[in-house]
PDB file of all heavy atoms in Angstrom:
ATOM      1  N   VAL A  67     -10.242 118.049 161.216  1.00 98.00           N
ATOM      2  CA  VAL A  67     -10.875 118.075 162.559  1.00 98.00           C
ATOM      3  C   VAL A  67     -11.029 116.745 163.131  1.00 98.00           C
ATOM      4  O   VAL A  67     -10.755 116.524 164.373  1.00 98.00           O
ATOM      5  CB  VAL A  67     -12.226 118.891 162.420  1.00 98.00           C
ATOM      6  CG1 VAL A  67     -13.003 118.655 163.618  1.00 98.00           C
ATOM      7  CG2 VAL A  67     -12.164 120.323 161.936  1.00 98.00           C
ATOM      8  N   ALA A  68     -11.273 115.728 162.294  1.00 98.00           N
ATOM      9  CA  ALA A  68     -11.475 114.328 162.820  1.00 98.00           C
ATOM     10  C   ALA A  68     -10.100 113.960 163.444  1.00 98.00           C
ATOM     11  O   ALA A  68     -10.068 113.257 164.450  1.00 98.00           O
ATOM     12  CB  ALA A  68     -11.958 113.416 161.636  1.00 98.00           C
ATOM     13  N   GLN A  69      -8.992 114.208 162.650  1.00 98.00           N
ATOM     14  CA  GLN A  69      -7.726 113.868 163.184  1.00 98.00           C
ATOM     15  C   GLN A  69      -7.424 114.487 164.435  1.00 98.00           C
ATOM     16  O   GLN A  69      -6.871 113.870 165.391  1.00 98.00           O
ATOM     17  CB  GLN A  69      -6.569 114.209 162.119  1.00 98.00           C
ATOM     18  CG  GLN A  69      -6.605 113.487 160.779  1.00 98.00           C
ATOM     19  CD  GLN A  69      -5.722 114.158 159.799  1.00 98.00           C
ATOM     20  OE1 GLN A  69      -5.426 115.242 159.822  1.00 98.00           O
ATOM     21  NE2 GLN A  69      -5.078 113.224 158.961  1.00 98.00           N
ATOM     22  N   GLN A  70      -7.680 115.772 164.502  1.00 98.00           N
ATOM     23  CA  GLN A  70      -7.321 116.515 165.841  1.00 98.00           C
ATOM     24  C   GLN A  70      -8.123 116.000 166.965  1.00 98.00           C
ATOM     25  O   GLN A  70      -7.674 115.731 167.998  1.00 98.00           O
ATOM     26  CB  GLN A  70      -7.675 118.058 165.528  1.00 98.00           C
ATOM     27  CG  GLN A  70      -7.439 118.875 166.760  1.00 98.00           C
ATOM     28  CD  GLN A  70      -7.855 120.402 166.470  1.00 98.00           C
ATOM     29  OE1 GLN A  70      -7.631 120.801 165.387  1.00 98.00           O
ATOM     30  NE2 GLN A  70      -8.358 120.996 167.536  1.00 98.00           N
ATOM     31  N   LEU A  71      -9.453 115.730 166.779  1.00 98.00           N
ATOM     32  CA  LEU A  71     -10.298 115.205 167.842  1.00 98.00           C
ATOM     33  C   LEU A  71      -9.876 113.719 168.204  1.00 98.00           C
ATOM     34  O   LEU A  71      -9.884 113.438 169.370  1.00 98.00           O
ATOM     35  CB  LEU A  71     -11.741 115.145 167.358  1.00 98.00           C
ATOM     36  CG  LEU A  71     -12.443 116.464 167.304  1.00 98.00           C
ATOM     37  CD1 LEU A  71     -13.788 116.426 166.579  1.00 98.00           C
ATOM     38  CD2 LEU A  71     -12.599 116.999 168.783  1.00 98.00           C
ATOM     39  N   ALA A  72      -9.447 112.930 167.305  1.00 98.00           N
ATOM     40  CA  ALA A  72      -8.958 111.574 167.556  1.00 98.00           C
ATOM     41  C   ALA A  72      -7.732 111.659 168.495  1.00 98.00           C
ATOM     42  O   ALA A  72      -7.651 110.931 169.391  1.00 98.00           O
ATOM     43  CB  ALA A  72      -8.580 110.831 166.288  1.00 98.00           C
ATOM     44  N   ARG A  73      -6.840 112.709 168.276  1.00 98.00           N
ATOM     45  CA  ARG A  73      -5.650 112.882 169.101  1.00 98.00           C
ATOM     46  C   ARG A  73      -6.214 113.405 170.516  1.00 98.00           C
ATOM     47  O   ARG A  73      -5.811 112.802 171.572  1.00 98.00           O
ATOM     48  CB  ARG A  73      -4.696 113.896 168.582  1.00 98.00           C
ATOM     49  CG  ARG A  73      -3.937 113.280 167.387  1.00 98.00           C
ATOM     50  CD  ARG A  73      -2.727 114.274 166.899  1.00 98.00           C
ATOM     51  NE  ARG A  73      -2.414 113.948 165.540  1.00 98.00           N
ATOM     52  CZ  ARG A  73      -2.860 114.697 164.452  1.00 98.00           C
ATOM     53  NH1 ARG A  73      -3.526 115.722 164.607  1.00 98.00           N
ATOM     54  NH2 ARG A  73      -2.562 114.293 163.286  1.00 98.00           N
ATOM     55  N   GLU A  74      -7.041 114.333 170.527  1.00 98.00           N
ATOM     56  CA  GLU A  74      -7.477 114.938 171.786  1.00 98.00           C
ATOM     57  C   GLU A  74      -8.305 114.043 172.579  1.00 98.00           C
ATOM     58  O   GLU A  74      -8.237 114.001 173.858  1.00 98.00           O
ATOM     59  CB  GLU A  74      -8.356 116.189 171.409  1.00 98.00           C
ATOM     60  CG  GLU A  74      -7.541 117.365 171.035  1.00 98.00           C
ATOM     61  CD  GLU A  74      -8.448 118.587 170.634  1.00 98.00           C
ATOM     62  OE1 GLU A  74      -9.757 118.522 170.954  1.00 98.00           O
ATOM     63  OE2 GLU A  74      -7.998 119.524 170.057  1.00 98.00           O
ATOM     64  N   LEU A  75      -9.039 113.075 171.959  1.00 98.00           N
ATOM     65  CA  LEU A  75      -9.883 112.176 172.759  1.00 98.00           C
ATOM     66  C   LEU A  75      -9.155 110.794 172.987  1.00 98.00           C
ATOM     67  O   LEU A  75      -9.735 109.822 173.361  1.00 98.00           O
ATOM     68  CB  LEU A  75     -11.190 111.959 171.932  1.00 98.00           C
ATOM     69  CG  LEU A  75     -12.112 113.274 171.811  1.00 98.00           C
ATOM     70  CD1 LEU A  75     -13.245 113.169 170.954  1.00 98.00           C
ATOM     71  CD2 LEU A  75     -12.581 113.721 173.209  1.00 98.00           C
ATOM     72  N   ASN A  76      -7.889 110.726 172.577  1.00 98.00           N
ATOM     73  CA  ASN A  76      -6.949 109.575 172.922  1.00 98.00           C
ATOM     74  C   ASN A  76      -7.429 108.308 172.133  1.00 98.00           C
ATOM     75  O   ASN A  76      -7.316 107.266 172.797  1.00 98.00           O
ATOM     76  CB  ASN A  76      -6.915 109.468 174.404  1.00 98.00           C
ATOM     77  CG  ASN A  76      -6.340 110.588 175.143  1.00 98.00           C
ATOM     78  OD1 ASN A  76      -5.192 111.159 174.592  1.00 98.00           O
ATOM     79  ND2 ASN A  76      -6.857 111.140 176.103  1.00 98.00           N
ATOM     80  N   ILE A  77      -7.822 108.417 170.976  1.00 98.00           N
ATOM     81  CA  ILE A  77      -8.121 107.226 170.258  1.00 98.00           C
ATOM     82  C   ILE A  77      -7.277 107.062 168.993  1.00 98.00           C
ATOM     83  O   ILE A  77      -7.401 106.064 168.249  1.00 98.00           O
ATOM     84  CB  ILE A  77      -9.669 107.162 169.842  1.00 98.00           C
ATOM     85  CG1 ILE A  77     -10.088 108.455 169.122  1.00 98.00           C
ATOM     86  CG2 ILE A  77     -10.449 106.968 171.108  1.00 98.00           C
ATOM     87  CD1 ILE A  77     -11.492 108.332 168.485  1.00 98.00           C
ATOM     88  N   SER A  78      -6.365 107.980 168.769  1.00 98.00           N
ATOM     89  CA  SER A  78      -5.626 107.945 167.548  1.00 98.00           C
ATOM     90  C   SER A  78      -4.534 106.732 167.512  1.00 98.00           C
ATOM     91  O   SER A  78      -4.332 106.170 166.494  1.00 98.00           O
ATOM     92  CB  SER A  78      -4.795 109.275 167.300  1.00 98.00           C
ATOM     93  OG  SER A  78      -3.960 109.588 168.308  1.00 98.00           O
ATOM     94  N   ASP A  79      -3.998 106.405 168.671  1.00 98.00           N
ATOM     95  CA  ASP A  79      -3.027 105.277 168.719  1.00 98.00           C
ATOM     96  C   ASP A  79      -3.736 103.943 168.466  1.00 98.00           C
ATOM     97  O   ASP A  79      -3.214 103.155 167.744  1.00 98.00           O
ATOM     98  CB  ASP A  79      -2.236 105.392 170.062  1.00 98.00           C
ATOM     99  CG  ASP A  79      -1.237 106.522 170.047  1.00 98.00           C
ATOM    100  OD1 ASP A  79      -1.016 107.107 169.018  1.00 98.00           O
ATOM    101  OD2 ASP A  79      -0.684 106.808 171.162  1.00 98.00           O
ATOM    102  N   ASP A  80      -4.755 103.661 169.142  1.00 98.00           N
ATOM    103  CA  ASP A  80      -5.437 102.436 169.029  1.00 98.00           C
ATOM    104  C   ASP A  80      -6.162 102.248 167.838  1.00 98.00           C
ATOM    105  O   ASP A  80      -6.614 101.156 167.437  1.00 98.00           O
ATOM    106  CB  ASP A  80      -6.317 102.157 170.352  1.00 98.00           C
ATOM    107  CG  ASP A  80      -5.626 101.989 171.509  1.00 98.00           C
ATOM    108  OD1 ASP A  80      -4.389 101.672 171.494  1.00 98.00           O
ATOM    109  OD2 ASP A  80      -6.195 102.111 172.727  1.00 98.00           O
TER     110      ASP A  80
END
Side-chain angles (χ1 to χ4, degrees):
V67 170
Q69 292 173 327
Q70 180 181 323
L71 284 167
R73 285 188 205 102
E74 285 176 11
L75 298 170
N76 295 314
I77 55 173
S78 59
D79 287 348
D80 289 343

